[in-house]
Amino acid sequence: MNATVEAKHETSSSNGVDNTGETDKKRESSSRDVNSPANAPFGGRILVDESAVFEQNAWDHAAWGEEQVQHAQKEIARQSLNPVPKELVETYHAEAAENWNKFYAKNENKFFKDRHWLRIEFPELFQMIEADAGEKNVMEIGCGAGNTMFPMLIESKNPKLFVYACDFSSTAVDVVKNNPEYDSKRGKAFVWDLAGDDIPPEVEPESMDVLVLIFVLSALHPDKWENAMNNLYKLLKPGGLIVFRDYGRYDMAQLRFKKNRLLSDNFYVRGDGTRVYFFESDEIVKLFGSRFTIEQNAVDRRLIVNRLRKVKMYRVWLQGKFRKPLAGGVPGAPSATTVVTSGDNEEPDVDVDSSLSLDTPADSPRLV
């Protein structure tokens, strides 16, 4: 219900490529743990000379100044003046599944995108595909068109790897099953709501080695987060891992929303009726840290530029790795007790046409 949507909605005719046809690809992780020192090595594309900002498509660790902070706060205040009319709020919540079905019915699998950045940010996933990895079960939750499932299956040398793919949207699941790479002997796609009352009948409790949660949690109503955490815990084997990526507070996507899109604090409805929440790092710690060991709690702050139009676009994504403790293990350690969420991780300053291209490792849905 989530992630594939990203590639479709924030793509324009320039598609993140300058007029030479060359695209700058990230070659190392651009996510930094929130507890890392400010001078820690980070990312591979650091902007040192501001005059060089339009020489490539993306820069890591984009710092924000006071002016951007104030701009972000001003935009949030503006949105709060014109929220979604009360009589429509419950309608949007009630029609969440149907709106995702409409989205996938309209777009089919045109937006399938091999997430090359997965290999950089989540190498643990690709350890599962090694020939000698042994029996491994991976589950892509909110699979969309199968942007994690299919790259893994295509590259896998492991005859004992099995990949599950589930989505809130029945139409998305049909898209996965209709993919020519879908093989019921190596994977299984089915409809399931992460926010439901229990794990899916297609999967045994504590049977998953890795759960993939990429731009999924943000699609859930905050009232359902606790259900989601319970289900994730039930699905994972002791020692199993969750890989997580989602929207961060004051991401450009949040600030671009127009009036009548705010459902509640930091929770919005897009023009196509799908919903999205923008997280702070401490919210992620509270959600996952009560049950899982926090191995990574990171922020990816990115400056994306459109060289042709000379426009800067500031993005914020949160990234995490959360492991189910073994018997006797303690959840929350090692970083939850010292997490820092400083003000500089919350604000882009941009007011641009939503059609502008974003060459990013995130997949980002339509915003306005």
Side-chain angles (χ1 to χ4, degrees):
M1 65 173 144
N2 58 323
T4 358
V5 88
E6 314 290 325
K8 170 67 179 177
H9 283 319
E10 293 204 3
T11 306
S12 71
S13 57
S14 62
N15 204 28
V17 182
D18 68 6
N19 55 14
T20 69
E22 296 176 349
T23 304
D24 297 303
K25 297 293 186 182
K26 61 185 284 181
R27 293 177 174 82
E28 55 189 280
S29 175
S30 53
S31 297
R32 169 184 282 173
D33 193 282
V34 295
N35 298 308
S36 297
N39 61 353
F42 175 63
R45 305 168 297 183
I46 306 299
L47 179 62
V48 177
D49 179 3
E50 182 63 31
S51 67
V53 66
F54 293 109
E55 291 184 5
Q56 62 184 41
N57 290 343
W59 301 93
D60 301 320
H61 191 31
W64 298 334
E66 183 61 28
E67 181 179 348
Q68 289 167 296
V69 175
Q70 292 177 359
H71 173 80
Q73 293 172 342
K74 179 180 178 182
E75 290 302 296
I76 298 300
R78 170 187 59 78
Q79 295 167 350
S80 67
L81 296 176
N82 295 282
V84 173
K86 290 183 178 180
E87 63 272 17
L88 294 179
V89 170
E90 290 307 316
T91 299
Y92 282 125
H93 294 327
E95 295 178 351
E98 182 58 29
N99 287 329
W100 281 109
N101 282 334
K102 289 178 180 177
F103 171 83
Y104 286 109
K106 178 180 179 181
N107 295 292
E108 285 290 319
N109 58 354
K110 299 173 186 175
F111 45 83
F112 178 84
K113 186 176 182 181
D114 184 353
R115 296 180 177 134
H116 297 286
W117 57 271
L118 284 174
R119 298 158 180 81
I120 299 171
E121 299 293 354
F122 301 129
E124 298 89 347
L125 268 177
F126 291 87
Q127 294 170 5
M128 306 287 111
I129 72 174
E130 297 300 326
D132 59 353
E135 186 174 335
K136 298 295 180 183
N137 293 321
V138 175
M139 185 171 177
E140 181 181 11
I141 300 173
C143 62
N147 285 3
T148 300
M149 179 188 207
F150 291 120
M152 291 191 71
L153 290 177
I154 291 169
E155 293 185 31
S156 180
K157 302 177 181 66
N158 181 4
K160 296 183 178 180
L161 172 68
F162 198 90
V163 181
Y164 296 86
C166 62
D167 203 285
F168 191 34
S169 165
S170 58
T171 307
V173 172
D174 288 341
V175 169
V176 171
K177 288 183 174 180
N178 290 330
N179 188 306
E181 297 292 342
Y182 183 75
D183 181 354
S184 61
K185 296 179 181 178
R186 305 173 64 208
K188 183 177 181 64
F190 52 90
V191 176
W192 180 59
D193 181 2
L194 173 61
D197 293 331
D198 205 349
I199 65 173
E202 292 84 353
V203 180
E204 293 294 323
E206 296 194 327
S207 62
M208 294 295 110
D209 293 283
V210 180
L211 299 176
V212 180
L213 202 66
I214 298 176
F215 296 99
V216 176
L217 204 59
S218 57
L220 303 185
H221 192 293
D223 288 349
K224 298 295 185 179
W225 292 345
E226 190 68 16
N227 276 12
M229 292 299 110
N230 287 336
N231 286 329
L232 295 172
Y233 189 86
K234 292 176 185 177
L235 286 167
L236 268 186
K237 295 178 180 178
L241 185 69
I242 298 170
V243 294
F244 166 86
R245 191 171 176 90
D246 222 319
Y247 293 103
R249 188 70 48 84
Y250 293 3
D251 175 49
M252 179 191 74
Q254 180 178 13
L255 301 188
R256 288 200 322 204
F257 278 106
K258 307 303 182 185
K259 65 180 182 178
N260 302 137
R261 294 298 175 198
L262 181 66
L263 291 165
S264 57
D265 288 350
N266 305 301
F267 193 38
Y268 299 80
V269 62
R270 304 184 183 96
D272 58 11
T274 60
R275 304 170 302 176
V276 59
Y277 186 89
F278 295 84
F279 292 95
E280 285 188 323
S281 291
D282 58 352
E283 289 177 312
I284 297 306
V285 168
K286 290 175 183 177
L287 282 171
F288 288 94
S290 62
R291 297 170 177 81
F292 304 98
T293 299
I294 299 175
E295 296 192 352
Q296 182 190 53
N297 178 31
V299 181
D300 186 349
R301 303 181 182 94
R302 198 80 55 82
L303 170 59
I304 311 298
V305 300
N306 186 299
R307 298 191 228 181
L308 182 63
R309 304 191 190 194
K310 303 299 181 186
V311 174
K312 301 177 185 179
M313 297 168 278
Y314 292 85
R315 304 306 310 264
V316 187
W317 299 291
L318 301 187
Q319 183 168 300
K321 298 176 185 179
F322 313 108
R323 194 173 297 277
K324 184 173 179 176
L326 297 171
V330 179
S335 65
T337 56
T338 57
V339 65
V340 176
T341 53
S342 57
D344 68 350
N345 70 345
E346 303 181 50
E347 55 285 84
D349 93 319
V350 61
D351 184 12
V352 299
D353 187 324
S354 63
S355 67
L356 293 181
S357 164
L358 300 177
D359 175 29
T360 79
D363 315 31
S364 350
R366 174 167 307 198
L367 310 167
V368 294

